[in-house]
Amino acid sequence: MAMGRPIEWTDERINEVFPEIFERISEGETIKRVLRSDNSKFPESMKFYEILEEREDLAKRYARAYKGYKDHIADLMLETAFTTEEGKITKETPKGEEVTTGDMTGHRKLKVDTMFRVITLVSANLGNNNAEKNGKSFEGDLEEFYE
């Protein structure tokens, strides 16, 4: 067990700490980030999942928290897709350095694709088969998924 983490997880301690974990997940933090943020307060990952296996009520709250997480990521995806990000591209040419400025559409697309894959994996890990549509999984390009 990691140093500084509580050894005994009583129902009282669980009921005190787990609501904060679920709240932070629903606001867009990953479970790993939450658990690692305070070694003296939160359980290690394995202990967290053991407790979820023992307590169906907490497992259901965890699943609901991840619905909030997916909503948060969906909001970020929309914001990223529709918000221009100005940037510079620098190329070395025989005439010297060439700088082009403009919207970083490729960068924004990469961020949206990554967020899409994250929420798809989260859905699959929670047993929610939203990762497939007409037999197609998230593998590949977003355009292919939505065709």
PDB file of all heavy atoms in Angstrom, residues 62-93:
ATOM      1  N   TYR A  62     -20.901   5.560  -9.533  1.00  0.00           N
ATOM      2  CA  TYR A  62     -19.716   5.685 -10.375  1.00  0.00           C
ATOM      3  C   TYR A  62     -20.127   5.743 -11.852  1.00  0.00           C
ATOM      4  O   TYR A  62     -19.644   6.598 -12.608  1.00  0.00           O
ATOM      5  CB  TYR A  62     -18.800   4.494 -10.107  1.00  0.00           C
ATOM      6  CG  TYR A  62     -17.536   4.431 -10.929  1.00  0.00           C
ATOM      7  CD1 TYR A  62     -16.574   5.426 -10.856  1.00  0.00           C
ATOM      8  CD2 TYR A  62     -17.287   3.342 -11.752  1.00  0.00           C
ATOM      9  CE1 TYR A  62     -15.402   5.336 -11.589  1.00  0.00           C
ATOM     10  CE2 TYR A  62     -16.121   3.247 -12.478  1.00  0.00           C
ATOM     11  CZ  TYR A  62     -15.178   4.251 -12.396  1.00  0.00           C
ATOM     12  OH  TYR A  62     -14.019   4.161 -13.130  1.00  0.00           O
ATOM     13  N   ALA A  63     -21.047   4.865 -12.255  1.00  0.00           N
ATOM     14  CA  ALA A  63     -21.531   4.872 -13.641  1.00  0.00           C
ATOM     15  C   ALA A  63     -22.227   6.196 -13.962  1.00  0.00           C
ATOM     16  O   ALA A  63     -22.032   6.755 -15.044  1.00  0.00           O
ATOM     17  CB  ALA A  63     -22.471   3.696 -13.874  1.00  0.00           C
ATOM     18  N   ARG A  64     -23.017   6.719 -13.026  1.00  0.00           N
ATOM     19  CA  ARG A  64     -23.677   8.017 -13.248  1.00  0.00           C
ATOM     20  C   ARG A  64     -22.650   9.144 -13.338  1.00  0.00           C
ATOM     21  O   ARG A  64     -22.799  10.058 -14.143  1.00  0.00           O
ATOM     22  CB  ARG A  64     -24.683   8.306 -12.133  1.00  0.00           C
ATOM     23  CG  ARG A  64     -25.984   7.563 -12.285  1.00  0.00           C
ATOM     24  CD  ARG A  64     -27.077   8.103 -11.381  1.00  0.00           C
ATOM     25  NE  ARG A  64     -26.746   8.115  -9.972  1.00  0.00           N
ATOM     26  CZ  ARG A  64     -26.933   7.104  -9.131  1.00  0.00           C
ATOM     27  NH1 ARG A  64     -27.472   5.978  -9.566  1.00  0.00           N
ATOM     28  NH2 ARG A  64     -26.614   7.206  -7.860  1.00  0.00           N
ATOM     29  N   ALA A  65     -21.605   9.069 -12.523  1.00  0.00           N
ATOM     30  CA  ALA A  65     -20.556  10.090 -12.571  1.00  0.00           C
ATOM     31  C   ALA A  65     -19.895  10.095 -13.946  1.00  0.00           C
ATOM     32  O   ALA A  65     -19.592  11.155 -14.498  1.00  0.00           O
ATOM     33  CB  ALA A  65     -19.514   9.845 -11.476  1.00  0.00           C
ATOM     34  N   TYR A  66     -19.696   8.912 -14.518  1.00  0.00           N
ATOM     35  CA  TYR A  66     -19.077   8.856 -15.840  1.00  0.00           C
ATOM     36  C   TYR A  66     -20.014   9.350 -16.939  1.00  0.00           C
ATOM     37  O   TYR A  66     -19.547   9.806 -17.981  1.00  0.00           O
ATOM     38  CB  TYR A  66     -18.508   7.468 -16.156  1.00  0.00           C
ATOM     39  CG  TYR A  66     -17.021   7.476 -15.914  1.00  0.00           C
ATOM     40  CD1 TYR A  66     -16.461   6.834 -14.834  1.00  0.00           C
ATOM     41  CD2 TYR A  66     -16.177   8.203 -16.750  1.00  0.00           C
ATOM     42  CE1 TYR A  66     -15.097   6.882 -14.603  1.00  0.00           C
ATOM     43  CE2 TYR A  66     -14.813   8.263 -16.525  1.00  0.00           C
ATOM     44  CZ  TYR A  66     -14.277   7.606 -15.450  1.00  0.00           C
ATOM     45  OH  TYR A  66     -12.945   7.669 -15.227  1.00  0.00           O
ATOM     46  N   LYS A  67     -21.306   9.310 -16.710  1.00  0.00           N
ATOM     47  CA  LYS A  67     -22.216   9.958 -17.662  1.00  0.00           C
ATOM     48  C   LYS A  67     -21.950  11.459 -17.658  1.00  0.00           C
ATOM     49  O   LYS A  67     -21.921  12.100 -18.712  1.00  0.00           O
ATOM     50  CB  LYS A  67     -23.674   9.672 -17.309  1.00  0.00           C
ATOM     51  CG  LYS A  67     -24.107   8.272 -17.642  1.00  0.00           C
ATOM     52  CD  LYS A  67     -25.570   8.055 -17.314  1.00  0.00           C
ATOM     53  CE  LYS A  67     -25.970   6.626 -17.597  1.00  0.00           C
ATOM     54  NZ  LYS A  67     -27.364   6.375 -17.252  1.00  0.00           N
ATOM     55  N   GLY A  68     -21.749  12.018 -16.479  1.00  0.00           N
ATOM     56  CA  GLY A  68     -21.393  13.437 -16.375  1.00  0.00           C
ATOM     57  C   GLY A  68     -20.060  13.723 -17.029  1.00  0.00           C
ATOM     58  O   GLY A  68     -19.874  14.743 -17.691  1.00  0.00           O
ATOM     59  N   TYR A  69     -19.112  12.806 -16.858  1.00  0.00           N
ATOM     60  CA  TYR A  69     -17.794  12.945 -17.483  1.00  0.00           C
ATOM     61  C   TYR A  69     -17.943  12.999 -19.002  1.00  0.00           C
ATOM     62  O   TYR A  69     -17.354  13.849 -19.666  1.00  0.00           O
ATOM     63  CB  TYR A  69     -16.909  11.760 -17.078  1.00  0.00           C
ATOM     64  CG  TYR A  69     -15.558  11.737 -17.736  1.00  0.00           C
ATOM     65  CD1 TYR A  69     -14.509  12.491 -17.220  1.00  0.00           C
ATOM     66  CD2 TYR A  69     -15.317  10.968 -18.868  1.00  0.00           C
ATOM     67  CE1 TYR A  69     -13.261  12.475 -17.815  1.00  0.00           C
ATOM     68  CE2 TYR A  69     -14.077  10.945 -19.471  1.00  0.00           C
ATOM     69  CZ  TYR A  69     -13.049  11.703 -18.941  1.00  0.00           C
ATOM     70  OH  TYR A  69     -11.814  11.691 -19.545  1.00  0.00           O
ATOM     71  N   LYS A  70     -18.760  12.088 -19.547  1.00  0.00           N
ATOM     72  CA  LYS A  70     -18.959  12.061 -21.002  1.00  0.00           C
ATOM     73  C   LYS A  70     -19.639  13.333 -21.485  1.00  0.00           C
ATOM     74  O   LYS A  70     -19.286  13.859 -22.542  1.00  0.00           O
ATOM     75  CB  LYS A  70     -19.744  10.823 -21.411  1.00  0.00           C
ATOM     76  CG  LYS A  70     -18.955   9.541 -21.204  1.00  0.00           C
ATOM     77  CD  LYS A  70     -19.608   8.314 -21.798  1.00  0.00           C
ATOM     78  CE  LYS A  70     -20.993   8.073 -21.330  1.00  0.00           C
ATOM     79  NZ  LYS A  70     -21.580   6.832 -21.861  1.00  0.00           N
ATOM     80  N   ASP A  71     -20.591  13.857 -20.721  1.00  0.00           N
ATOM     81  CA  ASP A  71     -21.223  15.131 -21.084  1.00  0.00           C
ATOM     82  C   ASP A  71     -20.197  16.255 -21.089  1.00  0.00           C
ATOM     83  O   ASP A  71     -20.206  17.118 -21.976  1.00  0.00           O
ATOM     84  CB  ASP A  71     -22.348  15.482 -20.105  1.00  0.00           C
ATOM     85  CG  ASP A  71     -23.581  14.626 -20.295  1.00  0.00           C
ATOM     86  OD1 ASP A  71     -23.703  13.973 -21.354  1.00  0.00           O
ATOM     87  OD2 ASP A  71     -24.434  14.618 -19.382  1.00  0.00           O
ATOM     88  N   HIS A  72     -19.325  16.245 -20.098  1.00  0.00           N
ATOM     89  CA  HIS A  72     -18.274  17.266 -20.017  1.00  0.00           C
ATOM     90  C   HIS A  72     -17.363  17.186 -21.251  1.00  0.00           C
ATOM     91  O   HIS A  72     -17.067  18.202 -21.873  1.00  0.00           O
ATOM     92  CB  HIS A  72     -17.461  17.068 -18.733  1.00  0.00           C
ATOM     93  CG  HIS A  72     -16.316  18.006 -18.594  1.00  0.00           C
ATOM     94  ND1 HIS A  72     -16.473  19.316 -18.199  1.00  0.00           N
ATOM     95  CD2 HIS A  72     -14.995  17.843 -18.834  1.00  0.00           C
ATOM     96  CE1 HIS A  72     -15.298  19.909 -18.191  1.00  0.00           C
ATOM     97  NE2 HIS A  72     -14.386  19.045 -18.566  1.00  0.00           N
ATOM     98  N   ILE A  73     -16.946  15.981 -21.605  1.00  0.00           N
ATOM     99  CA  ILE A  73     -16.077  15.802 -22.772  1.00  0.00           C
ATOM    100  C   ILE A  73     -16.816  16.202 -24.051  1.00  0.00           C
ATOM    101  O   ILE A  73     -16.233  16.828 -24.942  1.00  0.00           O
ATOM    102  CB  ILE A  73     -15.559  14.349 -22.865  1.00  0.00           C
ATOM    103  CG1 ILE A  73     -14.698  14.002 -21.652  1.00  0.00           C
ATOM    104  CG2 ILE A  73     -14.782  14.123 -24.157  1.00  0.00           C
ATOM    105  CD1 ILE A  73     -13.440  14.831 -21.495  1.00  0.00           C
ATOM    106  N   ALA A  74     -18.099  15.880 -24.139  1.00  0.00           N
ATOM    107  CA  ALA A  74     -18.884  16.278 -25.317  1.00  0.00           C
ATOM    108  C   ALA A  74     -18.924  17.797 -25.450  1.00  0.00           C
ATOM    109  O   ALA A  74     -18.780  18.338 -26.558  1.00  0.00           O
ATOM    110  CB  ALA A  74     -20.299  15.713 -25.230  1.00  0.00           C
ATOM    111  N   ASP A  75     -19.098  18.505 -24.335  1.00  0.00           N
ATOM    112  CA  ASP A  75     -19.061  19.974 -24.364  1.00  0.00           C
ATOM    113  C   ASP A  75     -17.711  20.478 -24.843  1.00  0.00           C
ATOM    114  O   ASP A  75     -17.632  21.403 -25.655  1.00  0.00           O
ATOM    115  CB  ASP A  75     -19.355  20.556 -22.977  1.00  0.00           C
ATOM    116  CG  ASP A  75     -20.817  20.478 -22.593  1.00  0.00           C
ATOM    117  OD1 ASP A  75     -21.666  20.267 -23.492  1.00  0.00           O
ATOM    118  OD2 ASP A  75     -21.111  20.641 -21.390  1.00  0.00           O
ATOM    119  N   LEU A  76     -16.632  19.866 -24.345  1.00  0.00           N
ATOM    120  CA  LEU A  76     -15.287  20.259 -24.779  1.00  0.00           C
ATOM    121  C   LEU A  76     -15.082  19.998 -26.269  1.00  0.00           C
ATOM    122  O   LEU A  76     -14.443  20.798 -26.967  1.00  0.00           O
ATOM    123  CB  LEU A  76     -14.218  19.510 -23.986  1.00  0.00           C
ATOM    124  CG  LEU A  76     -13.978  19.948 -22.557  1.00  0.00           C
ATOM    125  CD1 LEU A  76     -12.958  19.015 -21.885  1.00  0.00           C
ATOM    126  CD2 LEU A  76     -13.479  21.376 -22.509  1.00  0.00           C
ATOM    127  N   MET A  77     -15.629  18.877 -26.746  1.00  0.00           N
ATOM    128  CA  MET A  77     -15.502  18.558 -28.169  1.00  0.00           C
ATOM    129  C   MET A  77     -16.176  19.624 -29.024  1.00  0.00           C
ATOM    130  O   MET A  77     -15.597  20.092 -30.015  1.00  0.00           O
ATOM    131  CB  MET A  77     -16.112  17.182 -28.465  1.00  0.00           C
ATOM    132  CG  MET A  77     -15.308  16.025 -27.917  1.00  0.00           C
ATOM    133  SD  MET A  77     -16.179  14.446 -28.013  1.00  0.00           S
ATOM    134  CE  MET A  77     -16.275  14.204 -29.782  1.00  0.00           C
ATOM    135  N   LEU A  78     -17.388  20.007 -28.653  1.00  0.00           N
ATOM    136  CA  LEU A  78     -18.104  21.035 -29.408  1.00  0.00           C
ATOM    137  C   LEU A  78     -17.381  22.371 -29.348  1.00  0.00           C
ATOM    138  O   LEU A  78     -17.237  23.057 -30.366  1.00  0.00           O
ATOM    139  CB  LEU A  78     -19.530  21.184 -28.878  1.00  0.00           C
ATOM    140  CG  LEU A  78     -20.459  20.020 -29.186  1.00  0.00           C
ATOM    141  CD1 LEU A  78     -21.769  20.163 -28.425  1.00  0.00           C
ATOM    142  CD2 LEU A  78     -20.716  19.921 -30.685  1.00  0.00           C
ATOM    143  N   GLU A  79     -16.926  22.740 -28.177  1.00  0.00           N
ATOM    144  CA  GLU A  79     -16.200  24.005 -28.024  1.00  0.00           C
ATOM    145  C   GLU A  79     -14.935  24.008 -28.875  1.00  0.00           C
ATOM    146  O   GLU A  79     -14.645  24.975 -29.577  1.00  0.00           O
ATOM    147  CB  GLU A  79     -15.841  24.221 -26.558  1.00  0.00           C
ATOM    148  CG  GLU A  79     -15.141  25.524 -26.285  1.00  0.00           C
ATOM    149  CD  GLU A  79     -14.804  25.691 -24.815  1.00  0.00           C
ATOM    150  OE1 GLU A  79     -15.546  25.171 -23.955  1.00  0.00           O
ATOM    151  OE2 GLU A  79     -13.799  26.357 -24.539  1.00  0.00           O
ATOM    152  N   THR A  80     -14.208  22.896 -28.842  1.00  0.00           N
ATOM    153  CA  THR A  80     -12.969  22.797 -29.623  1.00  0.00           C
ATOM    154  C   THR A  80     -13.261  22.839 -31.116  1.00  0.00           C
ATOM    155  O   THR A  80     -12.571  23.523 -31.878  1.00  0.00           O
ATOM    156  CB  THR A  80     -12.223  21.496 -29.265  1.00  0.00           C
ATOM    157  OG1 THR A  80     -11.920  21.508 -27.866  1.00  0.00           O
ATOM    158  CG2 THR A  80     -10.930  21.360 -30.054  1.00  0.00           C
ATOM    159  N   ALA A  81     -14.292  22.123 -31.535  1.00  0.00           N
ATOM    160  CA  ALA A  81     -14.620  22.054 -32.961  1.00  0.00           C
ATOM    161  C   ALA A  81     -15.029  23.407 -33.522  1.00  0.00           C
ATOM    162  O   ALA A  81     -14.724  23.715 -34.674  1.00  0.00           O
ATOM    163  CB  ALA A  81     -15.734  21.036 -33.184  1.00  0.00           C
ATOM    164  N   PHE A  82     -15.707  24.221 -32.726  1.00  0.00           N
ATOM    165  CA  PHE A  82     -16.261  25.470 -33.237  1.00  0.00           C
ATOM    166  C   PHE A  82     -15.522  26.728 -32.791  1.00  0.00           C
ATOM    167  O   PHE A  82     -15.984  27.837 -33.063  1.00  0.00           O
ATOM    168  CB  PHE A  82     -17.749  25.570 -32.868  1.00  0.00           C
ATOM    169  CG  PHE A  82     -18.569  24.529 -33.560  1.00  0.00           C
ATOM    170  CD1 PHE A  82     -19.059  23.438 -32.867  1.00  0.00           C
ATOM    171  CD2 PHE A  82     -18.829  24.621 -34.917  1.00  0.00           C
ATOM    172  CE1 PHE A  82     -19.804  22.460 -33.508  1.00  0.00           C
ATOM    173  CE2 PHE A  82     -19.571  23.655 -35.565  1.00  0.00           C
ATOM    174  CZ  PHE A  82     -20.062  22.567 -34.865  1.00  0.00           C
ATOM    175  N   THR A  83     -14.380  26.566 -32.135  1.00  0.00           N
ATOM    176  CA  THR A  83     -13.606  27.718 -31.695  1.00  0.00           C
ATOM    177  C   THR A  83     -12.297  27.763 -32.477  1.00  0.00           C
ATOM    178  O   THR A  83     -11.486  26.845 -32.401  1.00  0.00           O
ATOM    179  CB  THR A  83     -13.308  27.640 -30.179  1.00  0.00           C
ATOM    180  OG1 THR A  83     -14.545  27.534 -29.477  1.00  0.00           O
ATOM    181  CG2 THR A  83     -12.556  28.874 -29.717  1.00  0.00           C
ATOM    182  N   THR A  84     -12.115  28.822 -33.208  1.00  0.00           N
ATOM    183  CA  THR A  84     -10.897  28.997 -33.989  1.00  0.00           C
ATOM    184  C   THR A  84      -9.690  29.090 -33.068  1.00  0.00           C
ATOM    185  O   THR A  84      -9.741  29.752 -32.037  1.00  0.00           O
ATOM    186  CB  THR A  84     -10.985  30.283 -34.837  1.00  0.00           C
ATOM    187  OG1 THR A  84     -12.121  30.170 -35.692  1.00  0.00           O
ATOM    188  CG2 THR A  84      -9.742  30.499 -35.661  1.00  0.00           C
ATOM    189  N   GLU A  85      -8.621  28.387 -33.437  1.00  0.00           N
ATOM    190  CA  GLU A  85      -7.354  28.471 -32.717  1.00  0.00           C
ATOM    191  C   GLU A  85      -6.296  28.967 -33.697  1.00  0.00           C
ATOM    192  O   GLU A  85      -5.893  28.241 -34.589  1.00  0.00           O
ATOM    193  CB  GLU A  85      -6.936  27.104 -32.170  1.00  0.00           C
ATOM    194  CG  GLU A  85      -7.786  26.598 -31.034  1.00  0.00           C
ATOM    195  CD  GLU A  85      -7.293  25.265 -30.491  1.00  0.00           C
ATOM    196  OE1 GLU A  85      -6.076  24.982 -30.581  1.00  0.00           O
ATOM    197  OE2 GLU A  85      -8.133  24.518 -29.981  1.00  0.00           O
ATOM    198  N   GLU A  86      -5.924  30.199 -33.515  1.00  0.00           N
ATOM    199  CA  GLU A  86      -4.899  30.767 -34.386  1.00  0.00           C
ATOM    200  C   GLU A  86      -3.527  30.227 -33.989  1.00  0.00           C
ATOM    201  O   GLU A  86      -3.240  30.036 -32.812  1.00  0.00           O
ATOM    202  CB  GLU A  86      -4.889  32.287 -34.280  1.00  0.00           C
ATOM    203  CG  GLU A  86      -6.128  32.953 -34.850  1.00  0.00           C
ATOM    204  CD  GLU A  86      -6.257  32.794 -36.353  1.00  0.00           C
ATOM    205  OE1 GLU A  86      -5.237  32.855 -37.065  1.00  0.00           O
ATOM    206  OE2 GLU A  86      -7.393  32.587 -36.816  1.00  0.00           O
ATOM    207  N   GLY A  87      -2.709  29.969 -34.973  1.00  0.00           N
ATOM    208  CA  GLY A  87      -1.365  29.473 -34.708  1.00  0.00           C
ATOM    209  C   GLY A  87      -0.438  29.768 -35.864  1.00  0.00           C
ATOM    210  O   GLY A  87      -0.844  30.341 -36.879  1.00  0.00           O
ATOM    211  N   LYS A  88       0.810  29.392 -35.676  1.00  0.00           N
ATOM    212  CA  LYS A  88       1.832  29.606 -36.703  1.00  0.00           C
ATOM    213  C   LYS A  88       2.478  28.285 -37.073  1.00  0.00           C
ATOM    214  O   LYS A  88       2.704  27.440 -36.235  1.00  0.00           O
ATOM    215  CB  LYS A  88       2.924  30.539 -36.180  1.00  0.00           C
ATOM    216  CG  LYS A  88       2.468  31.933 -35.897  1.00  0.00           C
ATOM    217  CD  LYS A  88       3.622  32.781 -35.390  1.00  0.00           C
ATOM    218  CE  LYS A  88       3.118  34.174 -35.050  1.00  0.00           C
ATOM    219  NZ  LYS A  88       4.207  35.026 -34.567  1.00  0.00           N
ATOM    220  N   ILE A  89       2.754  28.142 -38.367  1.00  0.00           N
ATOM    221  CA  ILE A  89       3.510  27.006 -38.877  1.00  0.00           C
ATOM    222  C   ILE A  89       4.780  27.558 -39.490  1.00  0.00           C
ATOM    223  O   ILE A  89       4.729  28.440 -40.343  1.00  0.00           O
ATOM    224  CB  ILE A  89       2.706  26.205 -39.923  1.00  0.00           C
ATOM    225  CG1 ILE A  89       1.430  25.646 -39.287  1.00  0.00           C
ATOM    226  CG2 ILE A  89       3.567  25.098 -40.518  1.00  0.00           C
ATOM    227  CD1 ILE A  89       0.506  24.964 -40.267  1.00  0.00           C
ATOM    228  N   THR A  90       5.894  27.037 -39.013  1.00  0.00           N
ATOM    229  CA  THR A  90       7.193  27.503 -39.504  1.00  0.00           C
ATOM    230  C   THR A  90       7.837  26.400 -40.322  1.00  0.00           C
ATOM    231  O   THR A  90       7.904  25.253 -39.893  1.00  0.00           O
ATOM    232  CB  THR A  90       8.103  27.876 -38.325  1.00  0.00           C
ATOM    233  OG1 THR A  90       7.425  28.829 -37.505  1.00  0.00           O
ATOM    234  CG2 THR A  90       9.417  28.464 -38.802  1.00  0.00           C
ATOM    235  N   LYS A  91       8.277  26.761 -41.547  1.00  0.00           N
ATOM    236  CA  LYS A  91       8.952  25.808 -42.427  1.00  0.00           C
ATOM    237  C   LYS A  91      10.288  26.402 -42.846  1.00  0.00           C
ATOM    238  O   LYS A  91      10.402  27.601 -43.092  1.00  0.00           O
ATOM    239  CB  LYS A  91       8.142  25.579 -43.703  1.00  0.00           C
ATOM    240  CG  LYS A  91       7.036  24.600 -43.582  1.00  0.00           C
ATOM    241  CD  LYS A  91       6.594  24.128 -44.960  1.00  0.00           C
ATOM    242  CE  LYS A  91       5.328  24.852 -45.377  1.00  0.00           C
ATOM    243  NZ  LYS A  91       4.812  24.391 -46.664  1.00  0.00           N
ATOM    244  N   GLU A  92      11.285  25.519 -42.919  1.00  0.00           N
ATOM    245  CA  GLU A  92      12.578  25.917 -43.465  1.00  0.00           C
ATOM    246  C   GLU A  92      12.532  25.702 -44.975  1.00  0.00           C
ATOM    247  O   GLU A  92      12.159  24.633 -45.444  1.00  0.00           O
ATOM    248  CB  GLU A  92      13.708  25.074 -42.857  1.00  0.00           C
ATOM    249  CG  GLU A  92      14.038  25.410 -41.423  1.00  0.00           C
ATOM    250  CD  GLU A  92      14.635  26.804 -41.266  1.00  0.00           C
ATOM    251  OE1 GLU A  92      15.391  27.255 -42.153  1.00  0.00           O
ATOM    252  OE2 GLU A  92      14.326  27.453 -40.244  1.00  0.00           O
ATOM    253  N   THR A  93      12.848  26.744 -45.725  1.00  0.00           N
ATOM    254  CA  THR A  93      12.878  26.654 -47.182  1.00  0.00           C
ATOM    255  C   THR A  93      14.252  27.102 -47.649  1.00  0.00           C
ATOM    256  O   THR A  93      15.020  27.685 -46.873  1.00  0.00           O
ATOM    257  CB  THR A  93      11.798  27.563 -47.812  1.00  0.00           C
ATOM    258  OG1 THR A  93      12.128  28.919 -47.558  1.00  0.00           O
ATOM    259  CG2 THR A  93      10.417  27.240 -47.264  1.00  0.00           C
TER     260      THR A  93
END
